[in-house]
Each structure stands twice: as structure tokens, then as C-alpha cells.
Amino acid sequence: MIDHAHDLASVRTATERLLHALAGQADASVAEPSRLPGWSRGHVLAHLARNADALVNVLEGRPMYADAQVRDADIERDAPRPLRVQLADVRESAARFQAAAAVPADWSRTVELRNGVVDSASRLPFRRWVEVELHAVDLGVGYELEDLPAEFTERETEFLAERFTGHPDVPPTRLTDGTRAWRTGRNADEPEVTVTGTPADLLGWLAGRRAGAGLTAAGGPLPALPPL
């Protein structure tokens, strides 16, 4: 059962943590490379702000983005801004998202995201939580996958395992951190690969943030995952 109110509170906490981590950074740091290929920290911050506004669009029944070109152009336009402007934008857009989510609504309704993806409105706060937490790591300012809340790590691991379930290019795979286990990949009668690692390493691999060096694979090589 998705608790959207709980997830909205988690989004607020994660956003404040991200803003606090950046508050002491020099203005020049915004132009430094992030951990995402081709993106500066400014690109990441601009994306976070525009994603919040895009989710407001979804909550209010409008298209998430006008189109992919507009989305990309908005990020490129906003990326070079001074750090103080970036942080104000992240904070203000986050407040707009929270305000839109506070309007009484049917949280069980189906909403449309990018590329024709549909989901329950109740999952939008968790999707925003994912954006804030993973991109906080992508900024490379000292917040690591190991620092993510345990609840978030478990839920996002489960979400990504479900996303790859049935994918024809991923062999049947069992994931485990030694305590919990998930299954993903093709539904087929063939040997299963067991991938073992820490919660952070498993999530990093599934989310495309780590190559899997900290993982062990039994029953076959570590599967190559398609891009998200």
C-alpha cells in the first residue's frame, strides 16, 4: 500500500538535506562535472527544479513536458545559473510540488508521465523522492548511496527489480543483500544467476550508478542491464 502522505514528507526531508549539503559550496562548483556523463552540477539542479514543475503538471492534469526537446532545452538554459539562483529554484519548485499535492484529490487515479508511461497518482511522491535522492548522489558533494535512507533503498531496489522483470535481455536473476531477496529478468526455465551485495551496491547497479564491482554473481556472469 502506497502512503503518499508519508512519501511527501520524505520528499521534503530529502530536499532540505540536498539544499543543506550545497549551501556551503562555492558558486564555481555549479559548473563542475556531476557524476552523470555530460552534465554539470548545474544541469542536475536545473533538472530537479524542472522535474518538480513537471510533476505539478501531472498532478493538475496537464502533459508532464511539452515535448522532449523543450525539456532538454529548459535544462540547458537553466544549468549555467549561479548557485544561489539554482538553490532558490530547487526550493521554490519543491514548494510548488508540495502545494499541488496538498490539494484534495483522488490519489487512486491514473496519471500519464513521459513517453506514455502511466501510473497511479499515489506513486508520484515516491517518484519525486527517487529523483531527489539519486540526484543528490549524482551531485558528488559527499552524499553517497550508503547514506540513503534504508526504507528508500529497499523500495527503490524493489521498484527497479520489477522494472526489469520480464525484460528479454536480462537473464533470470535473483538479487540478495543476505537478508532480503528480489527476482528480476526473463521469465524462463533456465539457470538463475544469483547476484549478492550490499544494499547500496545492489541499488547502484540497478540504477546505473555503479558498474557492479562490489557485487558477486553465482550461476553465471553479472548480467548487463539495459539503460533506464
Side-chain angles (χ1 to χ4, degrees), residues 109-130:
R109 71 191 187 280
T110 297
V111 294
E112 184 170 346
L113 303 167
R114 291 179 65 201
N115 303 321
V117 173
V118 295
D119 204 349
S120 166
S122 64
R123 289 186 65 91
L124 292 183
F126 180 70
R127 285 179 175 272
R128 176 61 182 175
W129 191 10
V130 172

Side-chain angles (χ1 to χ4, degrees), residues 62-215:
R62 296 186 296 274
M64 187 171 183
Y65 297 100
D67 56 47
Q69 289 73 31
V70 169
R71 171 188 176 273
D72 295 345
D74 285 349
I75 293 171
E76 290 296 332
R77 178 198 65 208
D78 293 343
R81 298 174 302 174
L83 181 61
R84 61 178 174 77
V85 178
Q86 298 273 18
L87 297 186
D89 193 13
V90 170
R91 185 181 296 278
E92 291 163 8
S93 59
R96 290 192 291 270
F97 171 68
Q98 292 285 342
V103 175
D106 175 13
W107 284 94
S108 67
R109 71 191 187 280
T110 297
V111 294
E112 184 170 346
L113 303 167
R114 291 179 65 201
N115 303 321
V117 173
V118 295
D119 204 349
S120 166
S122 64
R123 289 186 65 91
L124 292 183
F126 180 70
R127 285 179 175 272
R128 176 61 182 175
W129 191 10
V130 172
E131 293 286 330
V132 176
E133 292 286 16
L134 291 184
H135 287 317
V137 174
D138 295 334
L139 287 167
V141 292
Y143 188 64
E144 303 296 341
L145 291 168
E146 285 78 7
D147 299 317
L148 294 169
E151 177 201 350
F152 171 83
T153 297
E154 181 173 357
R155 287 177 62 187
E156 178 64 354
T157 298
E158 181 178 4
F159 175 80
L160 291 173
E162 289 176 0
R163 182 166 180 167
F164 292 123
T165 295
H167 197 291
D169 296 331
V170 181
T173 304
R174 177 177 181 269
L175 312 169
T176 181
D177 60 8
T179 302
R180 296 154 299 189
W182 304 265
R183 279 182 163 78
T184 193
R186 288 192 299 270
N187 299 314
D189 295 327
E190 58 184 283
E192 184 178 66
V193 179
T194 296
V195 176
T196 305
T198 66
D201 279 332
L202 286 171
L203 175 57
W205 175 62
L206 288 168
R209 266 66 180 183
R210 291 184 180 173
L215 302 173

Side-chain angles (χ1 to χ4, degrees), residues 36-59:
L36 294 177
W39 270 17
S40 68
R41 287 173 177 156
H43 284 90
V44 175
L45 293 172
H47 165 64
L48 277 172
R50 300 290 68 79
N51 172 262
D53 286 336
L55 290 176
V56 170
N57 288 338
V58 174
L59 286 170

